[in-house]
């Protein structure tokens, strides 16, 4: 479990007496323990001692990470900006998590903070910074503390926290006819109304494992400004939210949700009828709520959908779904006829959202950097099924506040992105690849990878279920009758798939990303398309593989080879793992396959080539490699 | 001659024409990391190429010659020649065209950039030993005044965590994705040891090294005494208690860890001297006969262990009671002492020395009778004169030159006999046994064989493995390793005592530079430096290779792991421009439950299958010759 997180800046303290000024944040995740200021200061003193001690041994240039390994604890410290140290202590069982994973999260957490609230040194008031840190860092790490499995969800890709995943969509590169991209450029970017105001458009594809397994097509599809430096930060932020909250919604992006541990005092022995009544009373409750739009409430996650449309509170819905044979017949409003698989598209964050919602639902201000020049931009979020579009507007561009403009934009986006979707996302199923690859480009920090991520929610039996709490709404409902669970209980392992939804746009402009898939009542598992052989292996094995590959790739980080050399390695374990790693000045390539599989197809054309070790990977892998090097 | 009891693979060539002095001045001759003699394959085929270990060098130092190639070139038997050709890199078929292959390995690691203003504490390797109260005991670099503050910090940090019921194991500093520094702590209260490394060494490697340093302290003090000293006064100053030779030995250990070629630390195994099975049998029997001889009349328990060890810490034979073995670390420690401290012994001198073997019993002392085996190699007996002359004269000459240059009084390194007893008063009993063993071995000519075996060993040419520059094979069952002979000068790593003072280390770099300019007189130290650098390079290679099969905590990736590592130039060199020797090195680490093989191919060999085939051949060969290569049981009484 996480132990504590500390943020401090030694330069804030000038003399002995004000040493407490350097401490910006101290949060202990071990609830009951409380430390005196002295203890906190001595802890950061030790961290600094270790730091300065290391410096006296020479060549300390560029060192910004430090791990202290203790008996049952590791302390990871990272230096951000000039003098800000962030230090995280992790105890016991999680020491099996490589420190690099922790660093990746520390780095991301910092990046996400800066993205939303600016650099730490730009805070002139120390207290204001502390408040913000409390808000962002503590909630970030508390959530990870509740769901430690997410510490390692990115697996060995965590080794490159500054890199971001790009989506590889089939046929994206070689389409010659006027593509969605040129449409988008013509209709939106170059459109005279928004030409000056629209800085960039970022298109993400965030597929869910329900329809298609595999990580290949996940990530940034493309952006249009060539000089955007913040892509890694934005992309990782999107990916983080999408992973942690399982799905993006207005609330998630607005930064208004948080996981909380569900109090365990629930009586499990409630019968069906009670549940229904509970559900109904809640429904009444929220119907009141629905009409009473003046209430200054901010709203939540997938619950929004239900609140808006079904007036069901998600927890009650989830309870009900267990008992009702066919959820699709249950529609409290009885109005919308069901339309199968209609593409859903709307704004997640836009000025179209209801006026009572906080500003963060209307525009998301992100601090982005173009040409090394960072400033705040107004960002709108729009989605089309599993495609997320971020529109980056200049701050002084006022047209985004006009509904006319927005609905125009919506239709343009719809036409472009639906083209993207139909051209590139509905591809014919193909065979699972027998190998996985990851390519990290050092120049562009792009990651192309087909390694599936380890996302298995490992909810232990004893842990109380987690619920996603929307600030505001839950407090309101808690005061109501019979309220036992949160608005949007999602125990992480059963992502609630509601039935097809009407768009909530008419109501409040709140949205929840992604298509809704009908739960197969017959128990027939939906056809899942698989990218690679690893998509089918058990999660535990996948995790072990990731750990193995992490160790392999770590050998690159300790290697002291001369700069002008490239290093290749081929590592074969007797458990079937065959891994090829190559690092040169441009990129790092990792390939993995199971050499047990290879034996079956032993027909190898012995083409002597000078490419070296990659030759000895399986046929598919070496073909992939030669295609890559030739193109 | 034919009747000589030499192994084929140990043996010097039977009749050897004096090989022509190869043209040593390579077109690329200059600094150490510069490109060196590459043998262009196609063009040099007709005339046997002369690959070198290291850079081209003045012709006096023929010791640098790769013995393998020397031998190959002088084989007279047609059959032999053919055989050699087949297994050597000169068989053209497998070689990629237009590819230069050289029998040396290029430098592939970051050079230690000469620091513009070398700060006293800026080193890529450092060892600290201090007491739990924070008092300095030993530091590898730096004056006390400088390290005192640092030790204070360590003391504070360690105590802080001690208060929180935990211990610091390691600190790793990294920049981006590359590890810059690694600190490892070993808390053996009342002493604390710390290692710093900016090299490619895993936490486990460093821990092993610290354990060795600690073991040394225990071997001279014993744990019991150490605890007693500190129990009286916590801030006891151990430095006062340690002798000069203790510090010299610590210096020596640190130096051999950080600059020498000592795979012992990496592998946790002892090196074994390859000897013919029958020879080893004779040694065993001789030792057994001596202690069982009623004439010697020693009581049971007088003698615990008997060892014969050749220079370089190469174990020849063990005499041990049934069911008892000595720990590798203990033996390593003992050998290190014998070859570092006691090489000055004359034939008729002997040592009676209390040593604590930390892994055997850290609270008590055992007593060692140490005596060097007599040395006749410079006056070879007529019977093996020819072979000795042709094979080893040249190396010996230069070796003794170097010896003379460095240490006028000493002769060459010599094998030693060590007898270990638990009884302080049994010196005369052991002396008698020792004398008996030495006389008998000498009578049978075994001492000479041991000397010769340790001089020559086996070379790559003895093994049907193509394109291999060097390898290390460790048999896990025996906890011993073997490697092809590096050439006599390689034994510098287990030194000829050079002035081991701290100042030498810190100014060594400057000395090198000076010697370059000083003309012929300085050439020898230049050679020595080169050889040292070569060994360090080799050590970096092996550390790197092993790290690719073993994770940071010292466990192998899997119980069976096969790793290939390849380095090559990143950018293709531009046509027409002068460029360094193309680098294309393939290495292999193969770890299984029974053995570990680390292997470096010749530069230019990029074919994995060739490397694997060679590796398999080496493993086969080592298994086939297991009895010659390893001491399996020793003489058991």
């Amino acid at each position: 479990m996480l132990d504590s997180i500390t943020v401090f800046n030694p330069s804030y303290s000038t003399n002995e007496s004000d040493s407490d000024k350097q401490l910006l944040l101290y949060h202990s995740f071990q609830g009951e323990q409380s430390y005196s200021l002295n203890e906190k200061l001595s802890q950061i003193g030790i961290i600094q001692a270790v730091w300065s001690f290391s410096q006296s041994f020479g060549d300390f240039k560029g060192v910004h990470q430090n791990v202290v390994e203790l008996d049952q604890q590791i302390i990871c410290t990272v230096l951000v900006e000039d003098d800000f140290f962030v230090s995280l202590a992790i105890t016991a069982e999680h020491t099996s998590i490589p420190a690099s994973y922790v660093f990746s999260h520390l780095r991301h957490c910092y990046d996400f903070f800066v993205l939303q609230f600016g650099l730490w040194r730009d805070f002139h008031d120390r207290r204001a910074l502390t408040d913000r840190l409390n808000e962002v860092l503590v909630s970030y790490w508390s959530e990870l503390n509740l769901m430690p499995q997410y510490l390692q969800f990115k697996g060995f890709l965590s080794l490159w926290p500054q890199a971001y995943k790009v989506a590889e969509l089939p046929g994206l590169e070689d389409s010659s006819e006027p593509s969605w991209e040129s449409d988008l450029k013509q209709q939106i970017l170059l459109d005279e109304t928004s030409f000056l105001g629209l800085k960039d458009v970022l298109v993400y594809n965030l597929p869910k494992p329900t329809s298609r397994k595999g990580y290949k097509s996940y990530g940034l599809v493309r952006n249009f400004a060539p000089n955007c430096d913040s892509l890694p930060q934005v992309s990782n932020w999107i990916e983080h939210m999408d992973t942690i909250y399982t799905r993006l919604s207005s609330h998630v992006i607005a930064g208004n949700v948080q996981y909380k541990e569900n109090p365990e005092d629930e009586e499990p022995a409630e019968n069906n009828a009670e549940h229904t009544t509970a559900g109904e009373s809640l429904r009444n409750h929220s119907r009141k709520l629905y009409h009473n739009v003046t209430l200054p409430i901010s709203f939540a996650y997938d619950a929004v959908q239900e609140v808006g449309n079904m007036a069901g509170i998600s927890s009650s819905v989830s309870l009900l779904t267990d008992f009702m044979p066919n959820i699709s017949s249950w529609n409290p409003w009885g109005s919308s006829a069901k339309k199968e698989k209609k593409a859903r598209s709307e704004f997640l964050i836009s000025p179209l959202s209801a006026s009572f919602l906080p500003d963060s639902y209307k525009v998301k201000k992100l601090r982005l950097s173009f040409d090394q020049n960072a400033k705040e931009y107004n960002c709108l979020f729009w989605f089309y099924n599993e495609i997320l579009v971020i529109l980056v507007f200049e701050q002084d561009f006022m047209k985004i506040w006009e509904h006319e403009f927005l609905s125009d934009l919506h239709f343009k986006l719809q036409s472009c992105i639906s083209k993207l979707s139909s051209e590139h996302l509905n591809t014919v199923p193909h065979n699972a690849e027998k190998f996985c690859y990851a390519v990290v480009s050092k120049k562009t920090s792009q990651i192309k990878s087909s390694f599936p991520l380890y996302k298995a929610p490992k909810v232990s039996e004893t842990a109380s279920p987690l619920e996603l709490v929307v600030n505001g709404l839950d407090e309101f409902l808690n005061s109501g009758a019979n309220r036992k669970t949160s608005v949007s209980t999602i125990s992480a392992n059963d992502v609630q798939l509601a039935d097809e939804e009407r768009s909530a746009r008419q109501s409040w402009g709140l949205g929840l990303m992604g298509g809704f898939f009908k739960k197969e009542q017959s128990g027939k598992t939906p056809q899942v398309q698989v990218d690679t052989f690893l998509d089918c292996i058990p999660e535990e094995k996948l995790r072990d593989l990731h750990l193995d590959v992490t160790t392999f790739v770590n050998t690159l980080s300790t290697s002291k080879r001369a700069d002008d050399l490239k290093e290749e390695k081929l590592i074969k374990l007797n458990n079937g793992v065959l891994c090829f790693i190559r690092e040169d000045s441009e990129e790092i390539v990792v390939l993995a396959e199971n050499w047990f599989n290879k034996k079956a197809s032993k027909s190898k054309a012995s083409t002597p080539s000078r490419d070296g070790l990659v030759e000895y990977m399986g046929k598919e892998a070496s073909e992939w490699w030669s295609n890559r090097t030739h193109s | 001659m034919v009747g000589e009891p030499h192994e084929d693979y140990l043996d010097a060539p039977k009749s050897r024409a004096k090989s022509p002095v190869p043209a040593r001045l390579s077109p690329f001759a200059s600094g150490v990391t510069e490109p060196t003699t590459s043998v262009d394959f196609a063009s040099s085929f007709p005339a046997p190429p002369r690959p070198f270990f290291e850079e081209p060098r003045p012709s006096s130092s023929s010791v640098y010659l790769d013995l393998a190639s020397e031998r190959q070139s002088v084989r007279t038997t047609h059959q032999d020649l053919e055989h050699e050709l087949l297994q050597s890199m000169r068989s053209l078929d497998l070689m990629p065209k237009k590819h230069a292959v050289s029998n040396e390995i290029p430098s592939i690691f970051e050079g230690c950039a000469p620091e513009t203003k070398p700060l006293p504490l800026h080193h890529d390797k450092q060892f600290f030993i201090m007491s739990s109260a924070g008092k300095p005991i030993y530091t590898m670099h730096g004056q006390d005044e400088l390290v005192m503050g640092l030790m204070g910090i360590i003391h504070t940090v360690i105590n802080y965590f001690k208060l929180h019921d935990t211990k610091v194991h390691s600190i790793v500093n990294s920049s981006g994705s590359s590890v810059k520094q690694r600190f490892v702590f070993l808390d053996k209260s009342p002493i604390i040891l710390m290692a710093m490394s900016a090299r490619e060494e895993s936490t486990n490697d460093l821990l092993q090294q610290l354990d060795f340093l600690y073991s040394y302290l225990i071997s001279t003090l014993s744990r019991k005494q150490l605890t007693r000293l500190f129990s009286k006064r916590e801030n006891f100053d151990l430095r006062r208690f340690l002798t000069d030779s203790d510090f010299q030995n610590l210096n020596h250990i640190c130096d051999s860890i950080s600059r020498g070629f000592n795979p012992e630390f990496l592998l946790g195994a002892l090196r074994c001297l390859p000897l013919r099975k029958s020879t080893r049998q004779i040694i065993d029997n001789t030792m057994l006969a001596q202690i069982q001889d009623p004439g010697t009349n020693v009581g049971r328990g007088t003698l615990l262990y008997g060892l014969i060890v050749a220079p370089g810490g190469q174990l020849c034979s063990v005499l041990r009671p049934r069911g008892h073995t000595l720990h590798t670390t203990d033996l390593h420690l003992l050998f290190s002492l014998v070859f570092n401290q006691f090489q000055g012994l004359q034939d008729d001198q002997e040592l009676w020395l209390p040593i604590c073997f930390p892994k055997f019993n850290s609270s008590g002392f055992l007593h060692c009778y140490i005596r060097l085996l007599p040395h006749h190699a410079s006056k070879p007996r007529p019977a093996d004169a020819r072979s000795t002359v042709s094979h080893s004269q040249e190396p010996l000459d230069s070796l003794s030159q170097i010896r003379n240059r460095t240490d006028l009084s000493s002769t060459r390194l010599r094998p030693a006999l060590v007898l270990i007893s638990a009884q302080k008063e049994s010196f005369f009993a052991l002396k008698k046994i020792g004398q008996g063993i030495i006389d008998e071995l000498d009578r049978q000519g075994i001492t000479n064989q041991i000397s010769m075996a340790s001089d020559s060993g086996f070379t790559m040419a003895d093994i049907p493995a193509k394109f291999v520059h060097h390898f290390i094979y460790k048999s896990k069952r025996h906890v011993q390793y073997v490697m092809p002979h590096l050439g006599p000068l390689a034994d510098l790593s287990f030194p000829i005592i050079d002035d081991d003072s701290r100042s030498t280390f810190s100014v060594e770099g400057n000395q090198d530079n000076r010697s370059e300019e000083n003309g012929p007189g300085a050439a020898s130290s230049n050679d020595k430096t080169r050889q040292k650098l070569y060994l360090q390079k080799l050590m970096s290679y092996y550390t790197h290779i092993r790290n690719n099969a073993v994770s940071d905590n010292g466990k192998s990736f899997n119980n069976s792991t096969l790793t290939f590592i390849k380095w090559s130039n990143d950018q293709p060199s531009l046509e027409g421009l002068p460029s360094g020797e193309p680098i294309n090195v393939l290495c292999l680490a193969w770890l299984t439950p029974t053995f570990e093989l680390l292997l470096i191919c010749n530069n230019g060999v990029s074919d994995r299958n060739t490397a694997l085939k060679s590796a398999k051949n080496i493993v086969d060969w080592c298994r086939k010759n297991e009895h010659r290569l390893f001491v399996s049981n020793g003489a058991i009484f």
Side-chain angles (χ1 to χ4, degrees), chain B residues 52-100:
Chain B
F52 309 126
F53 262 143
E54 251 305 298
E55 275 59 45
R57 55 193 70 79
S59 55
S60 67
S61 59
S62 56
V63 281
Y64 283 103
L65 273 179
D66 184 346
L67 291 177
S69 67
E70 200 175 12
R71 295 194 50 198
Q72 283 158 7
S73 62
V74 294
R75 285 267 179 177
T76 45
T77 329
H78 182 61
Q79 206 181 353
D80 278 356
L81 184 63
E82 243 178 16
H83 177 65
E84 291 287 340
L85 279 172
L86 270 178
Q87 71 186 37
S88 76
M89 63 178 185
R90 277 137 215 143
S91 43
L92 269 166
D93 53 340
L94 270 158
M95 289 312 301
K97 293 282 187 298
K98 295 195 290 179
H99 224 226

Side-chain angles (χ1 to χ4, degrees), chain A residues 39 42-43 46 49-73 75 103 159-160 548 551-552 555-575 582 584-586 609-613 616, chain B residues 99 107-110 121-123 126 128 150 153-154 156-157 160-161 166-183 185 194 196 198-200 544 547-548 551 557-571 583-584 586 606-609:
Chain A
E39 282 170 82
S42 67
Q43 191 175 329
I46 287 297
V50 167
W51 205 270
S52 65
F53 168 72
S54 311
Q55 262 163 348
S56 31
F57 290 87
D59 193 22
F60 206 68
K61 252 183 283 147
V63 171
H64 60 85
Q65 285 178 178
N66 159 291
V67 198
V68 179
E69 197 192 319
L70 304 169
D71 253 350
Q72 298 218 305
Q73 204 179 31
I75 300 177
F103 280 123
L159 291 169
W160 304 284
D548 276 349
T551 343
F552 302 159
T555 60
L556 291 176
S557 74
T558 53
S559 172
K560 300 278 180 216
R561 81 177 182 288
D563 292 333
D564 57 344
L565 295 181
K566 59 178 186 242
E567 182 166 346
E568 288 179 14
K569 49 193 85 179
L570 188 70
I571 299 174
K572 189 173 181 181
L573 306 186
N574 67 343
N575 60 7
R582 174 192 158 109
D584 56 28
S585 56
E586 304 272 307
S609 109
R610 303 192 49 206
D611 256 345
L613 295 175
Y616 302 95
Chain B
H99 224 226
S107 297
I108 56 157
F109 299 101
E110 289 174 339
L121 289 173
H122 285 204
H123 292 281
Q126 175 71 291
F128 281 171
L150 293 176
I153 300 182
I154 300 176
T156 318
V157 170
Y160 172 82
F161 288 115
T166 178
K167 255 186 203 172
V168 196
H169 292 293
S170 68
I171 299 173
V172 181
N173 292 319
S174 48
S175 118
S177 58
S178 72
V179 174
K180 287 274 185 192
Q181 288 172 332
R182 202 185 282 273
F183 297 87
F185 298 87
M194 187 210 78
M196 192 284 294
R199 301 185 188 173
E200 185 183 1
H544 182 88
N547 275 344
N548 276 288
S551 54
F557 285 165
N558 203 281
N559 52 14
S560 201
T561 307
L562 176 62
T563 303
F564 294 89
I565 309 123
K566 189 177 148 187
W567 295 276
S568 46
N569 295 89
D570 201 357
Q571 304 297 339
I583 291 175
N584 204 345
L586 184 64
S606 61
D607 185 36
R608 184 200 81 142
N609 283 345

Side-chain angles (χ1 to χ4, degrees), chain A residues 280-494:
Chain A
E280 266 162 9
S281 77
L282 280 174
R283 228 160 66 208
N284 295 335
H285 219 91
S286 50
R287 199 170 290 159
K288 254 185 267 162
L289 177 82
Y290 181 69
H291 295 296
N292 193 1
V293 281
T294 51
L295 277 173
I297 295 174
S298 63
F299 252 65
Y301 191 51
D302 53 355
V304 179
Q305 293 294 327
E306 288 101 43
V307 170
N309 299 324
M310 309 196 295
I313 302 301
S314 78
S315 62
S316 59
V317 173
S318 68
L319 291 174
L320 288 167
T321 50
D322 294 342
F323 303 108
M324 297 183 120
N326 186 0
I327 179 92
S328 56
S329 67
W330 183 74
N331 187 333
W333 302 99
S335 54
S336 69
K338 216 155 46 70
K339 281 164 260 157
E340 282 293 328
K341 287 263 179 180
K342 188 183 156 229
R344 300 174 67 250
S345 62
E346 63 184 286
F347 280 103
L348 289 172
I349 297 285
S350 78
L352 290 174
S353 59
S355 57
F356 62 81
L357 290 169
D359 279 350
S360 58
Y361 285 81
K362 292 175 182 136
V363 285
K364 181 82 189 170
K365 291 194 187 304
L366 294 182
R367 194 187 143 91
L368 302 177
S369 150
F370 290 89
D371 284 328
Q372 314 291 329
N373 190 5
K375 64 172 189 173
E376 277 198 350
Y377 290 91
N378 284 338
C379 296
L380 302 189
F381 290 74
W382 181 90
F383 76 90
Y384 179 94
N385 279 354
E386 293 178 327
I387 298 171
L388 177 77
V389 178
I390 304 178
L391 301 139
V392 181
F393 289 99
E394 296 282 356
Q395 269 198 305
D396 51 5
F397 183 70
M398 300 315 286
K399 265 212 149 61
I400 56 165
W401 300 98
E402 294 170 15
H403 286 204
E404 191 105 336
F405 171 75
L406 288 179
S407 41
D408 194 34
L409 193 60
H410 171 72
F411 287 112
K412 284 179 187 166
L413 279 172
Q414 208 168 24
S415 78
C416 299
I417 301 298
S418 65
K419 203 165 167 186
L420 162 70
S421 172
S422 62
E423 275 173 18
H424 302 296
L425 290 181
N426 297 322
T427 47
V428 278
H430 54 90
N431 289 336
E433 284 169 357
K434 287 207 184 64
F435 72 103
C436 278
Y437 62 86
V439 181
V440 184
S441 156
K442 289 184 179 172
K443 211 164 61 198
T444 60
S445 345
Q446 293 186 337
I447 299 179
K448 290 179 177 167
S449 162
S450 71
F451 276 92
L453 298 189
Y454 168 70
K455 283 183 177 176
K458 191 176 59 189
V459 178
S460 64
E461 306 285 306
T462 52
S464 53
L466 298 175
E467 55 182 17
L468 194 59
V469 178
V470 181
N471 304 331
L473 183 62
D474 277 319
E475 283 85 342
F476 169 72
L477 286 175
N478 271 329
S479 62
N482 289 335
R483 178 78 188 119
K484 285 268 159 56
T485 57
S486 162
V487 172
S488 54
T489 295
I490 49 161
S491 60
N493 53 358
D494 104 283

Side-chain angles (χ1 to χ4, degrees), chain A residues 127-156:
Chain A
R127 293 223 169 98
L129 177 57
T130 301
D131 290 346
R132 274 283 181 240
L133 290 173
N134 247 314
E135 197 176 297
V136 180
L137 262 68
V138 172
S139 62
Y140 183 101
W141 287 102
S142 307
E143 280 174 358
L144 283 177
N145 191 32
L146 292 173
M147 303 177 294
Q149 71 273 17
Y150 282 117
L151 268 177
Q152 35 187 334
F153 87 92
K154 270 192 122 173
F156 73 93

Side-chain angles (χ1 to χ4, degrees), chain A residues 10-143:
Chain A
S11 69
Y12 281 8
S13 149
T14 47
N15 56 46
E16 286 284 311
S17 58
D18 65 351
S19 57
D20 57 306
K21 277 196 182 150
Q22 55 182 308
L23 183 63
L24 292 167
L25 175 79
Y26 185 97
H27 180 85
S28 168
F29 296 98
Q30 314 293 346
E32 65 279 6
Q33 246 172 321
S34 71
Y35 294 104
S36 71
L37 181 65
N38 249 345
E39 282 170 82
K40 292 174 188 173
L41 287 178
S42 67
Q43 191 175 329
I44 63 179
I46 287 297
I47 294 166
Q48 287 177 58
V50 167
W51 205 270
S52 65
F53 168 72
S54 311
Q55 262 163 348
S56 31
F57 290 87
D59 193 22
F60 206 68
K61 252 183 283 147
V63 171
H64 60 85
Q65 285 178 178
N66 159 291
V67 198
V68 179
E69 197 192 319
L70 304 169
D71 253 350
Q72 298 218 305
Q73 204 179 31
I74 53 170
I75 300 177
C76 302
T77 309
V78 53
L79 177 67
V80 295
E81 288 177 30
D82 311 323
D83 293 309
F84 289 94
F85 291 82
V86 186
S87 174
L88 182 84
I90 303 180
T91 14
E93 58 206 294
H94 292 295
T95 43
S96 62
I97 295 176
S100 48
Y101 289 13
V102 180
F103 280 123
S104 144
H105 280 281
L106 279 170
R107 174 57 59 182
H108 283 165
C109 180
Y110 167 75
D111 284 345
F112 304 163
F113 183 101
V114 172
L115 198 60
Q116 299 178 68
F117 305 104
L119 291 173
W120 292 3
R121 61 165 168 260
D122 292 347
F123 280 80
H124 295 298
D125 183 6
R126 210 168 57 84
R127 293 223 169 98
L129 177 57
T130 301
D131 290 346
R132 274 283 181 240
L133 290 173
N134 247 314
E135 197 176 297
V136 180
L137 262 68
V138 172
S139 62
Y140 183 101
W141 287 102
S142 307
E143 280 174 358

